[in-house]
Amino acid sequence: MRKLLFIIVLVPVLGGLAWWYFREQVLPNYGPAYREYAYVSNGKSNTVSVIDLRTFELARTIAVGLGPTGIAANGKKNEIYTVNSGSNNVSVIDAEKNAVVATIGVHGRPYFIDVSEDGKRAYVANSGSANVSVIDLEKRLVIGTLRVGTAPGLARVSPDGATVVVSNRGDNTVSVIDAKLLRVRATLPVCHQPEDIAILPDSSKAFVACSGSSQVASIALENGKKGGEATSDRVLALLDVGRTPVSLALKPDGGELIVCDFDSDSISIIETGNDEVGSSALVGQHPTRAVVTNDNSRLYASNFGSDNVAVYDIDIGKRITTVAVGSRPDGLALSPDQRYLLVLDTQAGDVTVIQKRTPRKLEPTEYSLLTMIPVGVQPNGIVVKAFMASTPVRK
């Protein structure tokens, strides 16, 4: 009987100690007005899923337009924007209400949207209309429609807000737009099938991935200044990388650019200062997207073909582990505290949450799968927004 009582008492105690040791740390308490959400566009469900990153639960599902793809957050106001390629419009979501408050019509087959750092404008490349829509986000109106090249895929605004770079997949060119004058100031022939774009923090250069020729174009921008001297819009170099470069991830310090080479199962690392490919590394089957931590030390790459995420240590130049996720992972996002990685599983229709933790004796792994959250059909875009709500909290 004593042994039985001992076991009855001991098991809950050990269970409690195990929970305390392995428990997932909660977010700091920022007060009742603090919000931290991830927004996921679901291309085949015509919805946006809202995930509460304080509880890792689905908070709401918002109906938007047809075929939502690109999604972006406003850094200066509590709004989210999703591009609906099937209905040729942009849905404006109030992040405090988590509801659509406006719909802005654009042109044919838009896929991505980019927002200026001052939060005043958005730019949408309309692939079916060969133009770019310029949106005033205060008035929620299109204030300009600029003709560019054939089948523009992406319009990226520079950090200083002065320039918009557009990749024209259909005619292998890049259009450079003067954002102040709202005019195309240069059209530059580049490599074959230009797609993703990255712009340096000082707005001096743009890099464009060309999936059809296994190259990345380095482009000097007129408004960017380097060494105190003004530069003109021109192609500086065409850099050979792995096969089918599909996306670019820039380190926050701007010193290196990581290229996901889909058909080489690798990443290429470009030194942005001297336009040289410094190294490459195998990361997994068909990497599609990558994201770099704020301290420039870690790279996460989604491997579409092997259903996992590679963790690459930038400082030592080596893949250190892989973490299994759902089927056909693609888009990635980090939580504001950098402790959680969100992975879009496009075929499974869910979001995998990976936690970065401090290794311990009983749990030596640095990364663990925290949870998987069902969203909609074919999730294809994700953005994270943390903010203080301005409306009173209901009791």
Side-chain angles (χ1 to χ4, degrees), residues 78-352:
N78 297 336
E79 288 185 349
I80 306 295
Y81 313 100
T82 182
V83 171
N84 306 306
S85 61
S87 51
N88 304 328
N89 54 28
V90 174
S91 297
V92 180
I93 297 173
D94 185 318
E96 298 194 23
K97 300 176 182 177
N98 279 327
V100 174
V101 292
T103 302
I104 304 168
V106 289
H107 283 240
R109 294 204 309 275
Y111 283 100
F112 298 99
I113 184 168
D114 199 21
V115 178
S116 60
E117 287 199 359
D118 63 7
K120 294 180 179 180
R121 283 187 183 176
Y123 300 88
V124 179
N126 303 302
S127 66
S129 303
N131 58 30
V132 171
S133 297
V134 183
I135 301 173
D136 184 319
L137 296 176
E138 296 293 331
K139 298 178 181 179
R140 294 174 180 166
L141 293 173
V142 174
I143 59 173
T145 302
L146 308 178
R147 186 77 181 178
V148 291
T150 307
L154 183 65
R156 182 81 71 196
V157 59
S158 60
D160 64 6
T163 304
V164 181
V165 180
V166 186
S167 55
N168 304 310
R169 181 181 172 89
D171 60 12
N172 305 324
T173 65
V174 166
S175 298
V176 183
I177 296 171
D178 186 311
K180 183 177 180 181
L181 301 177
L182 290 184
R183 65 173 179 84
V184 176
R185 69 173 188 241
T187 300
L188 306 173
V190 288
C191 30
H192 190 50
Q193 295 178 347
E195 295 181 358
D196 201 14
I197 303 167
I199 303 177
L200 294 187
D202 66 359
S203 303
S204 64
K205 282 185 184 179
F207 293 87
V208 182
C210 296
S211 62
S213 57
S214 301
Q215 293 175 309
V216 171
S218 171
I219 300 171
L221 300 179
E222 178 183 304
N223 283 9
K225 291 185 178 181
K226 198 165 186 178
E229 296 180 1
T231 59
S232 59
D233 299 312
R234 66 187 189 280
V235 177
L236 296 173
L238 297 178
L239 309 172
D240 294 329
V241 292
R243 296 193 307 275
T244 321
V246 292
S247 67
L248 304 173
L250 187 66
K251 286 175 59 177
D253 63 12
E256 292 178 319
L257 179 72
I258 291 85
V259 187
C260 286
D261 304 319
F262 186 83
D263 284 321
S264 291
D265 299 337
S266 65
I267 56 170
S268 299
I269 301 178
I270 295 173
E271 305 290 339
T272 60
N274 56 16
D275 289 339
E276 292 185 357
V277 180
S279 62
S280 63
L282 295 174
V283 290
Q285 294 179 21
H286 300 325
T288 55
R289 299 286 168 186
V291 63
V292 182
T293 56
N294 286 341
D295 63 3
N296 303 289
S297 67
R298 292 284 171 89
L299 169 85
Y300 304 108
S302 56
N303 292 315
F304 190 82
S306 50
D307 296 341
N308 59 33
V309 168
V311 181
Y312 182 85
D313 190 306
I314 295 174
D315 295 331
I316 65 176
K318 181 181 178 182
R319 186 186 72 178
I320 58 174
T321 191
T322 59
V323 183
V325 293
S327 180
R328 298 293 187 259
D330 188 10
L332 303 170
L334 282 162
S335 63
D337 63 7
Q338 308 283 285
R339 291 176 52 235
Y340 300 97
L341 177 69
L342 311 175
V343 186
L344 297 186
D345 302 318
T346 60
Q347 190 174 77
D350 55 39
V351 174
T352 296

Side-chain angles (χ1 to χ4, degrees), residues 2-18:
R2 288 182 179 179
K3 184 180 290 187
L4 179 62
L5 290 174
F6 178 75
I7 292 173
I8 292 173
V9 173
L10 182 62
V11 168
V13 171
L14 291 176
L17 289 173

